[in-house]
């Protein structure tokens, strides 16, 4: 006996994508790049004039601005919704298949096979990639913060097991068949059974493109049979803004923690370099020998130290920023869950599992890393001051020696010139004898040489 195909009523798929609008320390050209990268998910042919018009809609001081709502081409029942959420962009891409009547835009409430979910995912991915028959986002269309898939369906047969049905829905959407959802905890939202699956990457050191492909988040809402589809559709639409915000807080936390892993890795490498430089200074002879130290070596060490100090300080500053980012978004995430539960009489405790991970792992780890690497900053500063002081002393000694040498040689030249003048005045001219062989010439030369020799004797004594 053949198994009866799984049926669903009004299956709908939403993809929520989040991109940077601006971030800590980013310049205007970078903001323009982020804006263009975001809007190209909707229109790949935007020129600068259109981008400037879209930029004018934004409000840097606002927490929320609706930027655009654009329907899919007929007969598709779907749309783009673009938002500004503070320092981020949010894009909701919604699709429920084809209208029953495209002219009147009447939704298709008929029973459909579960494979429809795979088709809906393909439609959404193709609209973002601007290429037909694509199921996953292209690398160029990847979001810079994160993304969440949301599925809402009504169960056609009340005898179906919601948990098993959720697993079947997952199979239609997963980018990796090796990932297996457990769905240990369930929740309730607007009367629907809710299941969450999150595949967290094992490697947080990989590049963002690879990381974001593994950072997969899916929410499945199973509405019971017999409930009015129009009511389900309207209720889901009414909470979309709350869901957009909730998922944005979640992905900002993950993005900040991923960024912190990159900074921590850089700090580790820089701390090794700091130790090497400190060790090189410790090998300086003590006491400093009479002939002094090699100024070129000191200056070379100083040149290496300054950029490392700058990068080290910036990375520490970034860790503080990411700590604040995680903390703030974690608080907002928890408040939004409470708001949804309160206003929709829902039970969303299962979403607090992420709160626990963010608090006990992400937040604590970033704070610990900052405390671990912060002592390296004064160590670097002391190293630079030490090198600067020693270099200054050696430079002063070198300048003093040079000045003494120049002065003594100058004295010798002055003495020789005076002696020559005196001898010229005392001796009568001898026109028949060449000047090279006269006592005047040899007297002035010998006097100058003696003066220079005395200068070098004094210089040598000073160096000792």
């Amino acid at each position: 006996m053949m198994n009866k195909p799984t049926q669903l009523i009004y299956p709908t798929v939403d993809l929520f994508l989040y991109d940077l609008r601006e971030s800590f320390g980013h310049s205007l050209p970078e903001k323009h790049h982020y804006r263009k990268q975001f809007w190209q998910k909707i229109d790949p042919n935007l020129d600068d004039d259109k981008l400037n018009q879209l930029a004018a809609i934004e409000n840097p001081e606002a927490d929320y601005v609706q930027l655009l709502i654009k329907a899919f081409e007929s007969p598709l029942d779907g749309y783009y919704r673009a938002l500004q959420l503070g320092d981020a962009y949010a894009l909701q891409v919604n699709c429920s298949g084809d209208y029953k009547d495209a002219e009147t835009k009447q939704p298709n409430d008929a029973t459909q096979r579960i494979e429809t979910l795979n088709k809906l995912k393909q439609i959404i991915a193709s609209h973002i990639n601007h290429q037909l028959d694509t199921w996953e986002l292209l690398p160029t269309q990847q979001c810079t913060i994160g993304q969440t898939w949301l599925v809402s369906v009504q169960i056609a047969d009340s005898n179906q097991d919601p948990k098993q049905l959720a697993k079947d829905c997952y199979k239609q959407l997963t980018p990796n068949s090796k990932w297996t959802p457990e769905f240990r905890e369930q929740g309730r939202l607007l009367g629907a059974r809710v299941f969450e699956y999150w595949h967290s990457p094992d490697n947080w050191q990989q590049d963002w493109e690879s990381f974001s492909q593994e950072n997969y988040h899916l929410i499945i809402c199973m509405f019971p049979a017999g409930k009015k589809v129009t009511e389900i559709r309207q209720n889901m639409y009414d909470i979309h803004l709350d869901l957009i915000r909730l998922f944005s807080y979640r992905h900002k936390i993950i993005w900040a923690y991923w960024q912190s892993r990159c900074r921590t890795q850089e700090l580790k490498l820089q701390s090794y370099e700091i130790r090497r430089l400190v060790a090189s200074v410790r090998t300086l002879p003590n006491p400093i020998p009479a002939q002094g130290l090699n100024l070129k070596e000191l200056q070379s060490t100083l040149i290496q130290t300054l950029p490392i100090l700058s990068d080290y300080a910036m990375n520490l500053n970034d860790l503080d920023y990411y700590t604040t980012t995680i903390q703030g978004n974690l608080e907002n995430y928890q408040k939004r869950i409470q708001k949804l539960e309160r206003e929709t009489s829902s039970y969303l405790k299962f979403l607090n599992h992420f709160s626990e991970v963010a608090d006990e792992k992400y937040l604590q780890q970033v704070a610990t890393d900052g405390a671990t690497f912060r002592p390296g900053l004064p160590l670097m500063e002391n190293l630079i001051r030490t090198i600067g002081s020693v270099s200054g002393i050696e430079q002063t000694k070198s300048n003093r020696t040079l000045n003494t040498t120049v002065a003594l040689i100058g004295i010798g030249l002055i003495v020789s010139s005076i002696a020559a003048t005196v001898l010229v005045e005392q001796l009568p001219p001898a026109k028949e004898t060449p000047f090279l062989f006269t006592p005047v010439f040899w007297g002035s030369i010998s006097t100058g040489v003696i003066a220079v020799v005395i200068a070098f004797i004094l210089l040598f004594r000073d160096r000792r």
Side-chain angles (χ1 to χ4, degrees):
M1 181 177 178
M2 296 182 61
N3 292 329
K4 184 179 179 180
T6 303
Q7 301 288 319
L8 304 173
I9 298 174
Y10 199 68
T12 301
V13 176
D14 288 272
L15 177 59
F16 299 93
L17 305 106
Y18 301 92
D19 279 291
L20 288 171
R21 177 177 166 269
E22 60 180 71
S23 187
F24 185 63
H26 285 157
S27 62
L28 286 175
E30 287 174 313
K31 292 178 183 179
H32 179 78
H33 170 74
Y34 290 139
R35 181 178 295 117
K36 185 175 182 179
Q37 188 176 27
F38 171 74
W39 284 107
Q40 281 183 333
K41 292 179 173 64
I42 302 173
D43 184 353
N45 301 314
L46 287 173
D47 56 23
D48 287 340
D49 289 339
K50 183 59 178 177
L51 277 173
N52 291 333
Q53 294 174 22
L54 293 168
I57 305 174
E58 299 175 20
N59 183 352
E61 306 301 323
D63 183 53
Y64 160 77
V65 178
Q66 183 157 283
L67 303 174
L68 175 75
I69 293 182
K70 179 183 177 182
F72 281 0
E73 67 280 3
S74 183
L76 286 175
D77 179 7
Y79 59 87
Y80 300 97
R81 175 191 279 181
L83 306 166
Q84 174 200 330
L85 298 179
D87 58 358
Y89 293 112
L91 176 62
Q92 176 193 5
V93 189
N94 169 285
C95 189
S96 303
D98 291 342
Y99 284 113
K100 183 177 181 181
D101 186 337
E103 290 187 6
T104 61
K105 294 187 176 180
Q106 181 182 354
N108 182 8
D109 296 341
T111 302
Q112 301 181 53
R113 295 171 64 100
I114 194 171
E115 289 78 11
T116 302
L117 292 175
N118 184 269
K119 180 182 178 182
L120 297 179
K121 178 184 177 181
Q122 177 191 353
I123 292 171
I124 290 175
S126 296
H127 274 71
I128 298 173
N129 294 332
H130 308 292
Q131 291 185 18
L132 295 176
D133 300 326
T134 56
W135 278 262
E136 306 297 336
L137 299 189
L138 298 174
T140 54
Q141 301 300 90
Q142 287 285 344
C143 47
T144 52
I145 298 179
Q147 63 189 44
T148 288
W149 290 93
L150 172 68
V151 174
S152 60
V153 300
Q154 183 178 24
I155 297 175
D157 184 353
S158 58
N159 293 322
Q160 287 179 305
D161 177 20
K163 188 173 182 179
Q164 182 57 49
L165 185 56
K167 290 182 179 180
D168 293 340
C169 290
Y170 166 82
K171 292 177 182 177
Q172 298 296 321
L173 300 166
T174 178
N176 191 328
S177 59
K178 295 180 181 179
W179 299 344
T180 305
E182 296 183 6
F183 296 140
R184 292 179 180 177
E185 282 192 86
Q186 302 176 31
R188 289 196 174 273
L189 177 65
L190 298 169
R193 299 278 289 275
V194 185
F195 302 85
E196 180 185 38
Y197 174 69
W198 174 35
H199 182 269
S200 177
D202 294 326
N203 180 11
W204 288 74
Q205 303 292 340
Q206 60 187 322
D207 62 87
W208 178 253
E209 180 183 316
S210 301
F211 177 86
S212 59
Q213 289 174 347
E214 293 187 31
N215 180 35
Y216 180 76
H217 186 225
L218 171 67
I219 300 287
I220 301 174
C221 298
M222 294 282 177
F223 288 92
K227 194 169 184 177
K228 292 182 179 180
V229 180
T230 53
E231 183 180 344
I232 293 173
R233 187 162 45 239
Q234 186 60 49
N235 287 343
M236 286 300 296
Y237 184 83
D238 290 342
I239 66 166
H240 274 160
L241 285 180
D242 282 314
L243 294 177
I244 289 172
R245 289 177 179 274
L246 178 68
F247 300 147
S248 75
Y249 302 140
R250 174 195 174 92
H251 289 297
K252 282 184 178 180
I253 291 170
I254 295 173
W255 172 83
Y257 186 64
W258 178 84
Q259 291 282 356
S260 76
R261 298 307 84 209
C262 298
R263 299 299 179 274
T264 298
Q265 185 64 23
E266 291 174 5
L267 284 166
K268 286 180 181 178
L269 297 175
Q270 290 161 356
S271 66
Y272 295 148
E273 189 65 16
I274 290 170
R275 291 176 186 176
R276 184 188 68 79
L277 293 170
V278 170
S280 69
V281 173
R282 282 179 178 171
T283 59
L284 292 175
N286 188 20
I288 296 175
Q291 67 270 24
L293 299 173
N294 190 326
L295 278 176
K296 288 185 177 180
E297 289 184 5
L298 287 173
Q299 290 168 354
S300 176
T301 302
L302 188 61
I303 290 171
Q304 295 177 60
T305 305
L306 288 173
I308 294 175
L309 173 62
S310 175
D311 292 342
Y312 195 87
M314 289 179 66
N315 284 329
L316 276 176
N317 194 37
D318 285 350
L319 279 187
D320 290 338
Y321 170 75
Y322 296 132
T323 300
T324 303
T325 299
I326 293 173
Q327 193 169 27
N329 283 283
L330 178 56
E331 292 175 0
N332 289 331
Y333 180 82
Q334 293 167 334
K335 290 178 181 177
R336 189 63 56 171
I337 291 175
Q338 294 170 3
K339 179 178 182 292
L340 275 168
E341 287 183 323
R342 183 174 61 252
E343 295 181 355
T344 63
S345 300
S346 300
Y347 179 76
L348 303 173
K349 185 179 179 181
F350 72 98
L351 292 175
N352 285 321
H353 172 67
F354 177 76
S355 299
E356 295 170 1
V357 173
D359 186 18
E360 297 173 7
K361 182 180 179 181
Y362 301 164
L363 187 59
Q364 295 301 320
Q365 185 64 60
V366 179
T368 300
D369 290 341
T372 299
F373 290 106
R374 192 160 286 106
L377 192 59
L379 181 63
M380 285 286 286
E381 293 170 343
N382 291 335
L383 175 63
I384 289 175
R385 279 195 292 268
T386 300
I387 296 174
S389 298
V390 174
S391 180
I393 292 171
E394 291 302 301
Q395 187 68 50
T396 300
K397 287 173 62 178
S398 177
N399 290 342
R400 183 181 65 191
T401 302
L402 179 61
N403 291 338
T404 303
T405 304
V406 172
L408 291 174
I409 293 175
I411 291 171
L413 294 175
I414 293 171
V415 170
S416 64
S417 63
I418 292 174
T421 303
V422 171
L423 289 172
V424 168
E425 291 178 350
Q426 290 179 349
L427 296 175
K431 297 179 181 180
E432 68 280 1
T433 305
F435 181 70
L436 180 63
F437 300 106
T438 62
V440 174
F441 174 79
W442 288 105
S444 62
I445 290 298
S446 60
T447 305
V449 168
I450 292 170
V452 171
V453 169
I454 293 172
F456 276 104
I457 291 173
L458 293 174
L459 172 62
F460 178 76
R461 185 183 66 181
D462 182 66
R463 292 292 291 174
R464 293 180 63 188

